[in-house]
Amino acid sequence: MENFLSEEELKHFINDYYTMLGYNTTVAWGHSRGADIIAQKDNECIVIEVKGCGSRQPMRVNYFLAILGEILQRMDNSKNKYFIALPKMQQYKNLWQRLPNLAKQRTTIKLILVDKNGNLEFFD
């Protein structure tokens, strides 16, 4: 089943998840500038870029490429963890699987897929 979640809905689910785990979060709601979500706890900092579902398959490819570019531009501290977050849709999962493992390993970017019930699934 496809997941037609908006970027703002995803931000709410991710914010709730990290808050529940005891992180202090900063969320860029609406069209605010900066990282979409920053979650901090103790000496850990997680930076997350978020995109919604998009209305068509070609748009989703563009969203996927755009979110990779956005997270790369945020990678300014080697101690931080960096994630991209997208709705749990087969197309996004396929795009992630097609991204070369070498690119994932060198950038250390990880993927979060969020379903319509707010469940988060993490991928290396």
Side-chain angles (χ1 to χ4, degrees):
M1 167 126 187
E2 295 289 84
N3 235 351
F4 296 101
L5 294 169
S6 71
E7 185 172 321
E8 294 300 298
E9 290 171 313
L10 280 148
K11 287 178 186 178
H12 278 285
F13 286 139
I14 295 165
N15 183 56
D16 290 348
Y17 173 84
Y18 280 101
T19 300
M20 182 184 68
L21 292 177
Y23 287 81
N24 293 314
T25 60
T26 303
V27 181
W29 299 111
H31 297 288
S32 301
R33 290 194 153 313
D36 288 326
I37 300 172
I38 298 175
Q40 296 177 298
K41 181 167 107 174
D42 302 324
N43 292 326
E44 183 179 32
C45 180
I46 300 169
V47 180
I48 306 167
E49 284 297 326
V50 180
K51 285 278 186 235
C53 70
S55 59
R56 297 181 321 276
Q57 286 190 358
M59 179 184 284
R60 292 182 197 124
V61 173
N62 290 339
Y63 276 12
F64 184 77
L65 295 173
I67 200 171
L68 288 174
E70 289 168 17
I71 199 67
L72 287 172
Q73 291 179 1
R74 306 263 180 246
M75 296 182 84
D76 61 358
N77 187 329
S78 63
K79 294 177 183 168
N80 291 351
K81 294 180 181 176
Y82 296 93
F83 291 84
I84 59 172
L86 297 158
K88 186 174 183 177
M89 301 178 81
Q90 190 60 49
Q91 184 178 5
Y92 283 137
K93 191 172 183 178
N94 292 345
L95 288 165
W96 179 255
Q97 289 171 338
R98 285 199 310 259
L99 189 66
N101 284 331
L102 181 60
K104 295 174 199 173
Q105 291 166 0
R106 289 202 175 161
T107 62
T108 70
I109 296 170
K110 306 231 183 308
L111 171 68
I112 303 170
L113 292 180
V114 183
D115 73 17
K116 62 181 177 152
N117 298 315
N119 299 305
L120 279 62
E121 190 173 354
F122 293 82
F123 297 87
D124 287 333

